[in-house]
């Protein structure tokens, strides 16, 4: 199975319609996809990666292997409730916690967040467009979006069969944009009942998956997919995940334009259907809703 690849630059040219269609299919049938030519500065991405790895080697790695979590391997007994990861969370907006993160990373992570937000806003706009909504629908529905970056390393694990890097879950929020390791694998997504391995990043691609709130807002048209991280015996995996989420006070509900009509008499629908049988059913549903108001 080939994971969908969306070339963002093709949204501005003769391949726009084709690219919009590919993105819609990726959101509806997969819930995750690769982004190429996304506009985030590659030098900045590489700097971010290098600084995170440097901080890990100087500080996080030693602390992790001396932690109680790491000592669980001494017992050589499988644990179902341990995540073999070390991480910290940078909150970018609405209120920054920059003083809580390593000084080494502060300036760079701020700059990186600003660029990825622009990319998330572009995605939100074309996703809205694909759904027949106003282009700013998702951004407005998020009501002052909250943005944070989870910086994680999944340390080399001598007994990967005993623990999970990160237990299976769906993401609670909106649009997740992941910049991950170019060498060490581990991320897996569930597709048609089977776990699909997400290969290491090539050429500064960004991996995108959709959170629970997008599934709710799109009335299930776009999917939030279960995923997990497996630990690795041969190396430590890098993960820099930016979460473009609704604001804390955002009220989440399915976009009215995407919901089915409700509480109508079947005969009334049949009467309408007899004159609209060969038209698009979505338009028919929308008209039925309008009649019922």
């Amino acid at each position: 199975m080939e994971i969908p690849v969306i070339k963002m630059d093709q949204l501005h040219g003769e391949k726009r319609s084709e690219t919009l269609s590919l993105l819609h299919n990726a959101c509806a049938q997969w819930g995750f996809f690769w982004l190429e030519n996304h506009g985030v500065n590659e030098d900045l991405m590489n700097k971010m990666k290098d600084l995170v790895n440097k901080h890990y080697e100087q500080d996080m790695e030693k602390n992790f292997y001396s932690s109680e979590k790491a000592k669980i391997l001494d017992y050589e007994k499988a644990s179902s409730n341990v995540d073999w990861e070390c991480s910290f969370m940078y909150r970018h907006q609405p209120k920054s916690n920059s003083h809580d993160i390593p000084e080494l990373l502060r300036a760079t992570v701020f700059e990186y967040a600003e660029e990825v937000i622009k990319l998330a806003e572009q995605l939100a706009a074309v996703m809205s467009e694909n759904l027949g909504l106003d282009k700013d629908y998702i951004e407005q529905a998020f009501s002052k979006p909250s943005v944070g970056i989870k910086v994680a390393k999944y340390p080399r694990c001598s007994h990967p069969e005993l623990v999970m890097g990160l237990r299976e879950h769906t993401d609670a929020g909106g649009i997740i944009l992941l910049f991950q390791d170019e060498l060490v694998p581990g991320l897996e997504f569930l597709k048609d009942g089977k776990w699909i391995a997400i290969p290491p990043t090539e050429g500064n691609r960004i991996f995108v998956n959709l959170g629970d709130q997008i599934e709710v807002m799109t009335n299930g048209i776009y999917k939030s997919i279960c995923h997990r991280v497996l630990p690795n015996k041969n190396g430590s995996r890098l993960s820099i995940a930016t979460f473009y989420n609704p604001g804390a006070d955002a009220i989440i509900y399915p976009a009215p334009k995407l919901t089915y009509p409700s509480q109508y008499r079947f005969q009334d629908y049949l009467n309408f259907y007899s004159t609209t049988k060969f038209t698009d059913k979505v338009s028919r549903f929308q008209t039925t809703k309008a009649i019922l108001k």
Side-chain angles (χ1 to χ4, degrees):
M1 256 187 246
E2 288 195 17
I3 299 167
V5 177
I6 309 300
K7 300 179 186 295
M8 288 294 287
D9 60 327
Q10 292 185 352
L11 287 168
H12 310 284
E14 60 183 22
K15 292 189 175 181
R16 176 175 172 78
S17 294
E18 178 185 342
T19 304
L20 284 171
S21 179
L22 287 172
L23 176 63
H24 180 70
N25 181 69
C27 293
Q29 302 300 322
W30 292 74
F32 55 93
F33 48 91
W34 289 107
L35 280 186
E36 292 184 351
N37 307 333
H38 44 66
V40 178
N41 185 280
E42 290 196 8
D43 289 338
L44 177 60
M45 294 178 73
N46 289 329
K47 183 178 180 181
M48 184 75 176
K49 175 180 64 178
D50 292 343
L51 289 176
V52 170
N53 284 330
K54 182 177 180 180
H55 173 63
Y56 174 73
E57 292 165 2
Q58 289 181 348
D59 185 47
M60 297 173 75
E61 184 175 26
K62 182 179 179 180
N63 290 338
F64 177 81
Y65 285 118
S66 62
S67 68
E68 291 300 315
K69 180 188 291 188
K71 291 177 182 177
I72 195 170
L73 295 187
D74 295 341
Y75 302 103
E76 295 190 0
K77 184 178 179 180
S79 176
S80 61
N81 61 352
V82 172
D83 295 321
W84 192 261
E85 71 166 0
C86 54
S87 64
F88 63 86
M89 191 75 186
Y90 165 64
R91 293 190 299 276
H92 185 71
Q93 67 182 48
K95 186 177 180 180
S96 172
N97 71 334
S98 60
H99 292 294
D100 296 333
I101 69 170
E103 185 175 358
L104 175 71
L105 283 157
R106 286 176 194 168
T108 302
V109 76
F110 177 90
E111 187 179 355
Y112 177 77
E114 287 290 300
E115 289 221 11
V116 178
I117 287 172
K118 294 175 186 176
L119 177 58
E121 289 172 345
Q122 292 176 51
L123 277 174
V126 291
M127 286 164 58
S128 296
E129 181 181 352
N130 266 337
L131 292 163
L133 305 171
D134 292 340
K135 286 186 178 181
D136 65 350
Y137 183 88
I138 291 177
E139 184 177 351
Q140 292 298 316
F142 275 18
S143 182
K144 299 178 181 178
S146 171
V147 177
I149 299 178
K150 179 184 176 183
V151 177
K153 288 286 284 192
Y154 296 90
R156 185 186 60 79
C157 181
S158 58
H159 292 283
E161 72 281 2
L162 298 181
V163 292
M164 291 295 298
L166 187 61
R167 286 163 287 174
E168 59 186 73
H169 64 287
T170 60
D171 289 323
I175 302 172
I176 299 86
L177 304 99
L178 173 68
F179 178 37
Q180 64 159 2
D181 207 284
E182 76 273 24
L183 296 174
V184 182
L187 180 62
E188 294 187 338
F189 271 71
L190 198 60
K191 169 69 172 165
D192 299 330
K194 297 180 180 179
W195 287 106
I196 303 297
I198 309 302
T201 293
E202 296 178 7
N204 286 337
R205 281 175 164 183
I206 286 179
F207 183 81
V208 176
N209 70 280
L210 308 179
D212 296 345
Q213 306 318 306
I214 293 294
E215 181 163 333
V216 172
M217 291 170 59
T218 66
N219 202 33
I221 296 173
Y222 289 171
K223 303 296 189 293
S224 171
I225 304 298
C226 192
H227 52 285
R228 67 185 184 183
V229 176
L230 303 181
N232 193 286
K233 195 172 185 177
N234 300 312
S236 299
R237 176 179 170 269
L238 170 71
S239 171
I240 302 171
T242 303
F243 295 84
Y244 181 79
N245 288 343
D249 294 325
I251 305 301
I252 306 299
Y253 53 89
K257 193 172 182 179
L258 304 180
T259 60
Y260 291 110
S262 61
Q263 295 185 338
Y264 54 84
R265 197 169 69 102
F266 179 51
Q267 187 59 53
D268 293 335
Y269 184 82
L270 281 180
N271 293 342
F272 181 55
Y273 177 81
S274 66
T275 60
T276 60
K277 179 176 181 178
F278 299 107
T279 62
D280 177 59
K281 69 177 179 181
V282 175
S283 299
R284 187 159 58 245
F285 290 156
Q286 295 300 321
T287 304
T288 302
K289 283 197 295 184
I291 292 172
L292 291 170
K293 287 183 178 179

